[in-house]
Amino acid sequence: MEGFPKDFNWGVATSSYQIEGAAFEDGRGESIWDRFCATPGKVANSEDGSAACDHYHRYPEDIQIMKQLGVSTYRFSIAWPRLFPMGNDVREERGFDFYNRLINELLANGIKPLPTLYHWDLPQPLQDKGGWANRETVEAFKKYSVAAVEAFGDRVHEWLTLNEPWCVTWLGYMNGVHAPGVKNLDHALAAAHHTALAHAEATRAMREVRDDLKIGLALNMTNYRLEDESDPELSELGDLMDAQLNRWWIDAFLNGTYPQSLMDFHEERLATIIQPGDLDKLKVQTDILGVNYYSDAFLGLPRPEDKPLIEEGLFPFPHRSNGSAPEPHTDMGWPVTPDGLEDLLLRIARDWPEITNIAITENGAAYDEEPNEDGVVEDARRVDYLESHLAAAGRAIQKGAPLKSYYAWSLMDNFEWAEGYNKRFGLVHVNFKTLKRTIKNSGKAYSKIIEASRKA
Ligand code: FCB
């Protein structure tokens, strides 16, 4: 694979609720995903993450698998309700113990930990008070982040605050397909602001505890491809969507602003949410921009029935937009567009030259291959996806994009949120009855790429 320096960080990614299981063990509190999964009709086949991959008990085996793959770093997330079950100041030491065990085992095996503090499992008691729509959650998140750095910061030097605040905001509080399942534009806009504020406040507070940390966040980003670039209505919509997805959180931490087009669009509502002095607080030194990239988004002319929704602020959703997306699609229905990764990385380098450390914190594909008679998982489509996206990332590096790390989503098949266990993203197959792990051909291919790049 061309373009990657010898010291490139090769990793795999997961998140707590998607893999840990042991949802009611060792004092872990209820999260919004436990509640959402228990609500009929929210998750495919009424599945939930209560058992998942049982990583809570099987982490030593999973770390051995990472070692076999040859990765140098592991992105996981910390479950807030394991450390603070009620979302307040009351600690659960058994939760801290678990992450100490995990971190120590990673380090003993030469794997650098990259924890994400918030990958969607908000303590339910905080949601009962409004969750991310409530400004108090910013303060609660700051305290939790400080406690995590105090506990683990002697060994963990790189951190991500939030994962995909766009999804937290728009899937969680506007279209309700993710926990907490709220559908309310005022709540969504408040969440958009409070997540940006939470990143900044937590980052500053974490640095006060230790000044040797590198801190970032992970954003889901894409390229909007317009069906007709010359159409003014579509161009305007494309710009608003780009602002909402790609620019909102970056403008916040880099400049202490939000995109003007969205400020104008939501002017009256935002006026009651953004308090005097807030914008100044948004700006914060952010060392790592995590980019989660799965596919480009294809945007067609709005259908007449969509127009009232768009006027309300409910824009079409990136991967499900109504443009004509090319084949092939993954099991998520997302088109496979590797060149888009190169374009996106180069766009970041061009538009935000202040960003000097990009990590692809997620990239991967859902395909459902099972082990064959010989126990081999022949997931050729995932091998293609991986190789073509890495080739695109390598080209971007050669053209000057400051890409330093790549984390494949995901280490292993896991609980894919509202889609349940049907959508398999793993480099490692998990049999959800026996919990047996089997490295897929894509895992073997990734391992070869890593090995070759270290030798080159
Ligand atoms: C991202 C999430 C991650 C995973 C992938 C497929 O939006 O961050 O947890 O579910 O999608």
Side-chain angles (χ1 to χ4, degrees), residues 387-417:
E387 291 181 346
S388 58
H389 283 77
L390 284 176
R395 289 196 298 275
I397 296 176
Q398 285 171 325
K399 292 180 186 169
L403 179 70
K404 311 288 181 202
S405 324
Y406 176 91
Y407 294 83
W409 185 271
S410 179
L411 167 65
M412 57 187 160
D413 295 339
N414 58 47
F415 176 71
E416 178 47 37
W417 309 114

PDB file of all heavy atoms in Angstrom, residues 387-417:
ATOM      1  N   GLU A 387      -9.009  -2.370   0.897  1.00  0.00           N
ATOM      2  CA  GLU A 387      -7.847  -2.045   0.057  1.00  0.00           C
ATOM      3  C   GLU A 387      -8.084  -0.776  -0.751  1.00  0.00           C
ATOM      4  O   GLU A 387      -7.187   0.057  -0.888  1.00  0.00           O
ATOM      5  CB  GLU A 387      -7.505  -3.228  -0.855  1.00  0.00           C
ATOM      6  CG  GLU A 387      -6.957  -4.387  -0.038  1.00  0.00           C
ATOM      7  CD  GLU A 387      -6.558  -5.597  -0.867  1.00  0.00           C
ATOM      8  OE1 GLU A 387      -6.934  -5.668  -2.067  1.00  0.00           O
ATOM      9  OE2 GLU A 387      -5.893  -6.489  -0.302  1.00  0.00           O
ATOM     10  N   SER A 388      -9.295  -0.618  -1.272  1.00  0.00           N
ATOM     11  CA  SER A 388      -9.521   0.563  -2.109  1.00  0.00           C
ATOM     12  C   SER A 388      -9.547   1.837  -1.265  1.00  0.00           C
ATOM     13  O   SER A 388      -9.078   2.888  -1.698  1.00  0.00           O
ATOM     14  CB  SER A 388     -10.809   0.423  -2.929  1.00  0.00           C
ATOM     15  OG  SER A 388     -11.908   0.216  -2.077  1.00  0.00           O
ATOM     16  N   HIS A 389     -10.071   1.755  -0.042  1.00  0.00           N
ATOM     17  CA  HIS A 389     -10.083   2.953   0.806  1.00  0.00           C
ATOM     18  C   HIS A 389      -8.685   3.276   1.319  1.00  0.00           C
ATOM     19  O   HIS A 389      -8.315   4.446   1.421  1.00  0.00           O
ATOM     20  CB  HIS A 389     -11.086   2.788   1.956  1.00  0.00           C
ATOM     21  CG  HIS A 389     -12.498   2.980   1.496  1.00  0.00           C
ATOM     22  ND1 HIS A 389     -13.183   2.013   0.795  1.00  0.00           N
ATOM     23  CD2 HIS A 389     -13.336   4.053   1.575  1.00  0.00           C
ATOM     24  CE1 HIS A 389     -14.388   2.477   0.485  1.00  0.00           C
ATOM     25  NE2 HIS A 389     -14.506   3.707   0.943  1.00  0.00           N
ATOM     26  N   LEU A 390      -7.903   2.243   1.617  1.00  0.00           N
ATOM     27  CA  LEU A 390      -6.532   2.523   2.057  1.00  0.00           C
ATOM     28  C   LEU A 390      -5.707   3.102   0.908  1.00  0.00           C
ATOM     29  O   LEU A 390      -4.890   4.005   1.117  1.00  0.00           O
ATOM     30  CB  LEU A 390      -5.876   1.257   2.614  1.00  0.00           C
ATOM     31  CG  LEU A 390      -6.359   0.877   4.019  1.00  0.00           C
ATOM     32  CD1 LEU A 390      -5.731  -0.439   4.461  1.00  0.00           C
ATOM     33  CD2 LEU A 390      -6.029   1.979   5.027  1.00  0.00           C
ATOM     34  N   ALA A 391      -5.939   2.600  -0.293  1.00  0.00           N
ATOM     35  CA  ALA A 391      -5.214   3.163  -1.444  1.00  0.00           C
ATOM     36  C   ALA A 391      -5.559   4.644  -1.586  1.00  0.00           C
ATOM     37  O   ALA A 391      -4.687   5.484  -1.820  1.00  0.00           O
ATOM     38  CB  ALA A 391      -5.567   2.392  -2.714  1.00  0.00           C
ATOM     39  N   ALA A 392      -6.843   4.981  -1.398  1.00  0.00           N
ATOM     40  CA  ALA A 392      -7.276   6.382  -1.511  1.00  0.00           C
ATOM     41  C   ALA A 392      -6.632   7.228  -0.407  1.00  0.00           C
ATOM     42  O   ALA A 392      -6.178   8.351  -0.651  1.00  0.00           O
ATOM     43  CB  ALA A 392      -8.801   6.466  -1.418  1.00  0.00           C
ATOM     44  N   ALA A 393      -6.583   6.676   0.802  1.00  0.00           N
ATOM     45  CA  ALA A 393      -5.961   7.409   1.920  1.00  0.00           C
ATOM     46  C   ALA A 393      -4.474   7.615   1.642  1.00  0.00           C
ATOM     47  O   ALA A 393      -3.926   8.693   1.892  1.00  0.00           O
ATOM     48  CB  ALA A 393      -6.168   6.638   3.222  1.00  0.00           C
ATOM     49  N   GLY A 394      -3.826   6.596   1.094  1.00  0.00           N
ATOM     50  CA  GLY A 394      -2.399   6.699   0.761  1.00  0.00           C
ATOM     51  C   GLY A 394      -2.153   7.785  -0.278  1.00  0.00           C
ATOM     52  O   GLY A 394      -1.202   8.560  -0.166  1.00  0.00           O
ATOM     53  N   ARG A 395      -3.046   7.872  -1.267  1.00  0.00           N
ATOM     54  CA  ARG A 395      -2.894   8.928  -2.285  1.00  0.00           C
ATOM     55  C   ARG A 395      -3.025  10.311  -1.637  1.00  0.00           C
ATOM     56  O   ARG A 395      -2.296  11.237  -1.968  1.00  0.00           O
ATOM     57  CB  ARG A 395      -3.962   8.775  -3.384  1.00  0.00           C
ATOM     58  CG  ARG A 395      -3.747   7.573  -4.299  1.00  0.00           C
ATOM     59  CD  ARG A 395      -4.577   7.705  -5.572  1.00  0.00           C
ATOM     60  NE  ARG A 395      -6.019   7.744  -5.337  1.00  0.00           N
ATOM     61  CZ  ARG A 395      -6.823   6.695  -5.194  1.00  0.00           C
ATOM     62  NH1 ARG A 395      -6.316   5.465  -5.257  1.00  0.00           N
ATOM     63  NH2 ARG A 395      -8.129   6.838  -5.009  1.00  0.00           N
ATOM     64  N   ALA A 396      -3.979  10.416  -0.709  1.00  0.00           N
ATOM     65  CA  ALA A 396      -4.175  11.712  -0.034  1.00  0.00           C
ATOM     66  C   ALA A 396      -2.919  12.089   0.756  1.00  0.00           C
ATOM     67  O   ALA A 396      -2.513  13.255   0.764  1.00  0.00           O
ATOM     68  CB  ALA A 396      -5.400  11.654   0.876  1.00  0.00           C
ATOM     69  N   ILE A 397      -2.295  11.116   1.411  1.00  0.00           N
ATOM     70  CA  ILE A 397      -1.053  11.418   2.156  1.00  0.00           C
ATOM     71  C   ILE A 397       0.012  11.926   1.178  1.00  0.00           C
ATOM     72  O   ILE A 397       0.674  12.937   1.424  1.00  0.00           O
ATOM     73  CB  ILE A 397      -0.532  10.170   2.898  1.00  0.00           C
ATOM     74  CG1 ILE A 397      -1.518   9.715   3.977  1.00  0.00           C
ATOM     75  CG2 ILE A 397       0.841  10.461   3.529  1.00  0.00           C
ATOM     76  CD1 ILE A 397      -1.131   8.437   4.698  1.00  0.00           C
ATOM     77  N   GLN A 398       0.130  11.232   0.049  1.00  0.00           N
ATOM     78  CA  GLN A 398       1.155  11.648  -0.930  1.00  0.00           C
ATOM     79  C   GLN A 398       0.901  13.051  -1.455  1.00  0.00           C
ATOM     80  O   GLN A 398       1.827  13.760  -1.817  1.00  0.00           O
ATOM     81  CB  GLN A 398       1.206  10.646  -2.093  1.00  0.00           C
ATOM     82  CG  GLN A 398       1.903   9.354  -1.674  1.00  0.00           C
ATOM     83  CD  GLN A 398       1.779   8.256  -2.718  1.00  0.00           C
ATOM     84  OE1 GLN A 398       0.750   8.148  -3.404  1.00  0.00           O
ATOM     85  NE2 GLN A 398       2.811   7.436  -2.840  1.00  0.00           N
ATOM     86  N   LYS A 399      -0.379  13.451  -1.465  1.00  0.00           N
ATOM     87  CA  LYS A 399      -0.694  14.809  -1.943  1.00  0.00           C
ATOM     88  C   LYS A 399      -0.709  15.830  -0.802  1.00  0.00           C
ATOM     89  O   LYS A 399      -1.157  16.947  -0.976  1.00  0.00           O
ATOM     90  CB  LYS A 399      -2.043  14.799  -2.663  1.00  0.00           C
ATOM     91  CG  LYS A 399      -1.990  14.015  -3.971  1.00  0.00           C
ATOM     92  CD  LYS A 399      -3.336  14.008  -4.676  1.00  0.00           C
ATOM     93  CE  LYS A 399      -3.281  13.087  -5.887  1.00  0.00           C
ATOM     94  NZ  LYS A 399      -4.619  12.831  -6.457  1.00  0.00           N
ATOM     95  N   GLY A 400      -0.302  15.390   0.382  1.00  0.00           N
ATOM     96  CA  GLY A 400      -0.099  16.370   1.456  1.00  0.00           C
ATOM     97  C   GLY A 400      -1.100  16.349   2.605  1.00  0.00           C
ATOM     98  O   GLY A 400      -0.994  17.169   3.512  1.00  0.00           O
ATOM     99  N   ALA A 401      -2.086  15.446   2.598  1.00  0.00           N
ATOM    100  CA  ALA A 401      -3.034  15.415   3.728  1.00  0.00           C
ATOM    101  C   ALA A 401      -2.306  14.889   4.971  1.00  0.00           C
ATOM    102  O   ALA A 401      -1.600  13.893   4.900  1.00  0.00           O
ATOM    103  CB  ALA A 401      -4.227  14.529   3.399  1.00  0.00           C
ATOM    104  N   PRO A 402      -2.495  15.560   6.122  1.00  0.00           N
ATOM    105  CA  PRO A 402      -1.761  15.162   7.330  1.00  0.00           C
ATOM    106  C   PRO A 402      -2.416  13.989   8.062  1.00  0.00           C
ATOM    107  O   PRO A 402      -2.773  14.080   9.232  1.00  0.00           O
ATOM    108  CB  PRO A 402      -1.800  16.440   8.180  1.00  0.00           C
ATOM    109  CG  PRO A 402      -3.088  17.097   7.804  1.00  0.00           C
ATOM    110  CD  PRO A 402      -3.326  16.764   6.353  1.00  0.00           C
ATOM    111  N   LEU A 403      -2.558  12.889   7.346  1.00  0.00           N
ATOM    112  CA  LEU A 403      -3.202  11.707   7.934  1.00  0.00           C
ATOM    113  C   LEU A 403      -2.156  10.889   8.687  1.00  0.00           C
ATOM    114  O   LEU A 403      -1.147  10.480   8.109  1.00  0.00           O
ATOM    115  CB  LEU A 403      -3.839  10.862   6.821  1.00  0.00           C
ATOM    116  CG  LEU A 403      -4.531   9.585   7.301  1.00  0.00           C
ATOM    117  CD1 LEU A 403      -5.810   9.923   8.071  1.00  0.00           C
ATOM    118  CD2 LEU A 403      -4.880   8.671   6.118  1.00  0.00           C
ATOM    119  N   LYS A 404      -2.427  10.649   9.983  1.00  0.00           N
ATOM    120  CA  LYS A 404      -1.428   9.964  10.821  1.00  0.00           C
ATOM    121  C   LYS A 404      -1.879   8.575  11.283  1.00  0.00           C
ATOM    122  O   LYS A 404      -1.053   7.789  11.729  1.00  0.00           O
ATOM    123  CB  LYS A 404      -1.129  10.790  12.083  1.00  0.00           C
ATOM    124  CG  LYS A 404      -0.831  12.258  11.823  1.00  0.00           C
ATOM    125  CD  LYS A 404       0.525  12.451  11.180  1.00  0.00           C
ATOM    126  CE  LYS A 404       0.811  13.927  10.957  1.00  0.00           C
ATOM    127  NZ  LYS A 404       1.801  14.150   9.922  1.00  0.00           N
ATOM    128  N   SER A 405      -3.180   8.317  11.266  1.00  0.00           N
ATOM    129  CA  SER A 405      -3.674   7.051  11.824  1.00  0.00           C
ATOM    130  C   SER A 405      -4.891   6.564  11.044  1.00  0.00           C
ATOM    131  O   SER A 405      -5.631   7.369  10.471  1.00  0.00           O
ATOM    132  CB  SER A 405      -4.122   7.215  13.277  1.00  0.00           C
ATOM    133  OG  SER A 405      -3.318   8.102  13.986  1.00  0.00           O
ATOM    134  N   TYR A 406      -5.083   5.262  11.098  1.00  0.00           N
ATOM    135  CA  TYR A 406      -6.268   4.652  10.469  1.00  0.00           C
ATOM    136  C   TYR A 406      -6.813   3.587  11.414  1.00  0.00           C
ATOM    137  O   TYR A 406      -6.068   2.704  11.851  1.00  0.00           O
ATOM    138  CB  TYR A 406      -5.880   4.015   9.137  1.00  0.00           C
ATOM    139  CG  TYR A 406      -7.016   3.271   8.450  1.00  0.00           C
ATOM    140  CD1 TYR A 406      -7.843   3.917   7.534  1.00  0.00           C
ATOM    141  CD2 TYR A 406      -7.260   1.916   8.721  1.00  0.00           C
ATOM    142  CE1 TYR A 406      -8.892   3.237   6.907  1.00  0.00           C
ATOM    143  CE2 TYR A 406      -8.304   1.234   8.101  1.00  0.00           C
ATOM    144  CZ  TYR A 406      -9.116   1.903   7.191  1.00  0.00           C
ATOM    145  OH  TYR A 406     -10.155   1.237   6.581  1.00  0.00           O
ATOM    146  N   TYR A 407      -8.088   3.683  11.741  1.00  0.00           N
ATOM    147  CA  TYR A 407      -8.739   2.685  12.590  1.00  0.00           C
ATOM    148  C   TYR A 407      -9.850   2.015  11.784  1.00  0.00           C
ATOM    149  O   TYR A 407     -10.812   2.689  11.387  1.00  0.00           O
ATOM    150  CB  TYR A 407      -9.358   3.343  13.827  1.00  0.00           C
ATOM    151  CG  TYR A 407      -8.327   3.944  14.759  1.00  0.00           C
ATOM    152  CD1 TYR A 407      -7.812   5.216  14.527  1.00  0.00           C
ATOM    153  CD2 TYR A 407      -7.853   3.225  15.853  1.00  0.00           C
ATOM    154  CE1 TYR A 407      -6.851   5.759  15.377  1.00  0.00           C
ATOM    155  CE2 TYR A 407      -6.896   3.760  16.699  1.00  0.00           C
ATOM    156  CZ  TYR A 407      -6.398   5.032  16.447  1.00  0.00           C
ATOM    157  OH  TYR A 407      -5.446   5.570  17.280  1.00  0.00           O
ATOM    158  N   ALA A 408      -9.708   0.726  11.521  1.00  0.00           N
ATOM    159  CA  ALA A 408     -10.752   0.016  10.785  1.00  0.00           C
ATOM    160  C   ALA A 408     -11.966  -0.164  11.688  1.00  0.00           C
ATOM    161  O   ALA A 408     -11.823  -0.536  12.865  1.00  0.00           O
ATOM    162  CB  ALA A 408     -10.222  -1.350  10.346  1.00  0.00           C
ATOM    163  N   TRP A 409     -13.140   0.132  11.159  1.00  0.00           N
ATOM    164  CA  TRP A 409     -14.379  -0.216  11.858  1.00  0.00           C
ATOM    165  C   TRP A 409     -14.877  -1.501  11.245  1.00  0.00           C
ATOM    166  O   TRP A 409     -15.232  -1.486  10.088  1.00  0.00           O
ATOM    167  CB  TRP A 409     -15.455   0.871  11.731  1.00  0.00           C
ATOM    168  CG  TRP A 409     -16.632   0.485  12.577  1.00  0.00           C
ATOM    169  CD1 TRP A 409     -17.704  -0.283  12.197  1.00  0.00           C
ATOM    170  CD2 TRP A 409     -16.804   0.771  13.968  1.00  0.00           C
ATOM    171  NE1 TRP A 409     -18.536  -0.489  13.260  1.00  0.00           N
ATOM    172  CE2 TRP A 409     -18.007   0.142  14.360  1.00  0.00           C
ATOM    173  CE3 TRP A 409     -16.058   1.477  14.931  1.00  0.00           C
ATOM    174  CZ2 TRP A 409     -18.485   0.216  15.675  1.00  0.00           C
ATOM    175  CZ3 TRP A 409     -16.541   1.554  16.220  1.00  0.00           C
ATOM    176  CH2 TRP A 409     -17.745   0.933  16.575  1.00  0.00           C
ATOM    177  N   SER A 410     -14.861  -2.554  11.958  1.00  0.00           N
ATOM    178  CA  SER A 410     -14.585  -2.640  13.374  1.00  0.00           C
ATOM    179  C   SER A 410     -13.701  -3.853  13.643  1.00  0.00           C
ATOM    180  O   SER A 410     -13.592  -4.737  12.795  1.00  0.00           O
ATOM    181  CB  SER A 410     -15.921  -2.792  14.124  1.00  0.00           C
ATOM    182  OG  SER A 410     -15.729  -2.909  15.516  1.00  0.00           O
ATOM    183  N   LEU A 411     -13.100  -3.885  14.828  1.00  0.00           N
ATOM    184  CA  LEU A 411     -12.356  -5.090  15.188  1.00  0.00           C
ATOM    185  C   LEU A 411     -13.212  -6.329  14.943  1.00  0.00           C
ATOM    186  O   LEU A 411     -12.798  -7.269  14.290  1.00  0.00           O
ATOM    187  CB  LEU A 411     -11.944  -5.033  16.673  1.00  0.00           C
ATOM    188  CG  LEU A 411     -11.434  -6.351  17.268  1.00  0.00           C
ATOM    189  CD1 LEU A 411     -10.137  -6.793  16.611  1.00  0.00           C
ATOM    190  CD2 LEU A 411     -11.273  -6.247  18.778  1.00  0.00           C
ATOM    191  N   MET A 412     -14.427  -6.307  15.465  1.00  0.00           N
ATOM    192  CA  MET A 412     -15.257  -7.522  15.340  1.00  0.00           C
ATOM    193  C   MET A 412     -16.722  -7.174  15.111  1.00  0.00           C
ATOM    194  O   MET A 412     -17.160  -6.072  15.415  1.00  0.00           O
ATOM    195  CB  MET A 412     -15.102  -8.391  16.597  1.00  0.00           C
ATOM    196  CG  MET A 412     -15.447  -7.678  17.875  1.00  0.00           C
ATOM    197  SD  MET A 412     -15.037  -8.741  19.295  1.00  0.00           S
ATOM    198  CE  MET A 412     -14.945  -7.520  20.588  1.00  0.00           C
ATOM    199  N   ASP A 413     -17.463  -8.119  14.580  1.00  0.00           N
ATOM    200  CA  ASP A 413     -18.909  -7.954  14.410  1.00  0.00           C
ATOM    201  C   ASP A 413     -19.503  -7.557  15.757  1.00  0.00           C
ATOM    202  O   ASP A 413     -19.070  -8.068  16.799  1.00  0.00           O
ATOM    203  CB  ASP A 413     -19.556  -9.282  13.965  1.00  0.00           C
ATOM    204  CG  ASP A 413     -19.077  -9.727  12.591  1.00  0.00           C
ATOM    205  OD1 ASP A 413     -18.596  -8.883  11.817  1.00  0.00           O
ATOM    206  OD2 ASP A 413     -19.197 -10.944  12.304  1.00  0.00           O
ATOM    207  N   ASN A 414     -20.500  -6.679  15.724  1.00  0.00           N
ATOM    208  CA  ASN A 414     -21.038  -6.216  17.010  1.00  0.00           C
ATOM    209  C   ASN A 414     -22.468  -5.715  16.863  1.00  0.00           C
ATOM    210  O   ASN A 414     -23.082  -5.878  15.815  1.00  0.00           O
ATOM    211  CB  ASN A 414     -20.103  -5.146  17.598  1.00  0.00           C
ATOM    212  CG  ASN A 414     -19.918  -3.954  16.666  1.00  0.00           C
ATOM    213  OD1 ASN A 414     -20.882  -3.428  16.125  1.00  0.00           O
ATOM    214  ND2 ASN A 414     -18.670  -3.545  16.469  1.00  0.00           N
ATOM    215  N   PHE A 415     -22.946  -5.113  17.918  1.00  0.00           N
ATOM    216  CA  PHE A 415     -24.326  -4.615  17.954  1.00  0.00           C
ATOM    217  C   PHE A 415     -24.406  -3.299  17.187  1.00  0.00           C
ATOM    218  O   PHE A 415     -23.894  -2.278  17.650  1.00  0.00           O
ATOM    219  CB  PHE A 415     -24.760  -4.403  19.414  1.00  0.00           C
ATOM    220  CG  PHE A 415     -26.125  -3.797  19.551  1.00  0.00           C
ATOM    221  CD1 PHE A 415     -27.264  -4.530  19.238  1.00  0.00           C
ATOM    222  CD2 PHE A 415     -26.288  -2.486  19.976  1.00  0.00           C
ATOM    223  CE1 PHE A 415     -28.529  -3.972  19.337  1.00  0.00           C
ATOM    224  CE2 PHE A 415     -27.552  -1.909  20.088  1.00  0.00           C
ATOM    225  CZ  PHE A 415     -28.675  -2.663  19.769  1.00  0.00           C
ATOM    226  N   GLU A 416     -25.002  -3.340  15.999  1.00  0.00           N
ATOM    227  CA  GLU A 416     -25.018  -2.162  15.132  1.00  0.00           C
ATOM    228  C   GLU A 416     -26.276  -1.311  15.405  1.00  0.00           C
ATOM    229  O   GLU A 416     -27.148  -1.161  14.568  1.00  0.00           O
ATOM    230  CB  GLU A 416     -24.884  -2.585  13.668  1.00  0.00           C
ATOM    231  CG  GLU A 416     -24.925  -1.477  12.628  1.00  0.00           C
ATOM    232  CD  GLU A 416     -24.051  -0.254  12.911  1.00  0.00           C
ATOM    233  OE1 GLU A 416     -22.937  -0.410  13.439  1.00  0.00           O
ATOM    234  OE2 GLU A 416     -24.514   0.859  12.606  1.00  0.00           O
ATOM    235  N   TRP A 417     -26.376  -0.804  16.612  1.00  0.00           N
ATOM    236  CA  TRP A 417     -27.410   0.170  16.985  1.00  0.00           C
ATOM    237  C   TRP A 417     -28.804  -0.263  16.527  1.00  0.00           C
ATOM    238  O   TRP A 417     -29.184  -1.413  16.760  1.00  0.00           O
ATOM    239  CB  TRP A 417     -27.025   1.564  16.461  1.00  0.00           C
ATOM    240  CG  TRP A 417     -25.618   1.952  16.852  1.00  0.00           C
ATOM    241  CD1 TRP A 417     -24.551   2.149  16.025  1.00  0.00           C
ATOM    242  CD2 TRP A 417     -25.089   2.166  18.192  1.00  0.00           C
ATOM    243  NE1 TRP A 417     -23.427   2.466  16.750  1.00  0.00           N
ATOM    244  CE2 TRP A 417     -23.730   2.496  18.063  1.00  0.00           C
ATOM    245  CE3 TRP A 417     -25.653   2.114  19.481  1.00  0.00           C
ATOM    246  CZ2 TRP A 417     -22.914   2.772  19.174  1.00  0.00           C
ATOM    247  CZ3 TRP A 417     -24.844   2.403  20.578  1.00  0.00           C
ATOM    248  CH2 TRP A 417     -23.504   2.718  20.412  1.00  0.00           C
TER     249      TRP A 417
END
